[in-house]
Amino acid sequence: GFRVLPVLTKIDIPSARPLEVALAVSDLFGFDPDSILKTSARARIGIKEVLDVICDKVPPPDSLADDDGTILRAKVIDSWFEPRRGVVCLVRVLSGAME
């Protein structure tokens, strides 16, 4: 199954209402409002916390039948170009680990 990690973004924008939005999201989806992460990539707020939660709560992929765990297998889901970052790829790790 899928695991949903609630994250509010762009909290640095003057019109952002993180508390109101966190309460609305918690009412709508049943999340604990205190567990909803608040982030701003531009202001560098909450990025480490999001990565830590992903590492803690998203389980590693199941092993494939012919997998001995030594080879990284991944599937490219999407990719795009961002002028300041270059090529960005969204991948799904099927087996193995990235270190």
Side-chain angles (χ1 to χ4, degrees), residues 7-13 37-47 50:
V7 179
L8 296 180
T9 63
K10 301 184 184 337
I11 63 166
D12 63 318
I13 294 175
L37 300 173
K38 293 149 189 79
T39 67
S40 167
R42 182 183 337 175
R44 296 184 174 143
I45 300 170
I47 305 307
V50 169

Side-chain angles (χ1 to χ4, degrees), residues 24-53:
V25 167
S26 70
D27 287 344
L28 189 61
F29 296 105
F31 293 115
D32 175 9
D34 294 329
S35 72
I36 299 174
L37 300 173
K38 293 149 189 79
T39 67
S40 167
R42 182 183 337 175
R44 296 184 174 143
I45 300 170
I47 305 307
K48 182 183 180 318
E49 290 80 5
V50 169
L51 296 174
D52 289 343
V53 168

Side-chain angles (χ1 to χ4, degrees), residues 47-86:
I47 305 307
K48 182 183 180 318
E49 290 80 5
V50 169
L51 296 174
D52 289 343
V53 168
I54 290 170
C55 290
D56 291 342
K57 296 196 175 189
V58 176
D62 294 331
S63 296
L64 299 175
D66 65 343
D67 183 29
D68 63 2
T70 60
I71 298 174
L72 173 66
R73 293 183 185 179
K75 189 184 292 187
V76 176
I77 304 298
D78 196 4
S79 64
W80 59 93
F81 180 80
E82 292 183 2
R84 294 185 182 189
R85 297 176 72 195

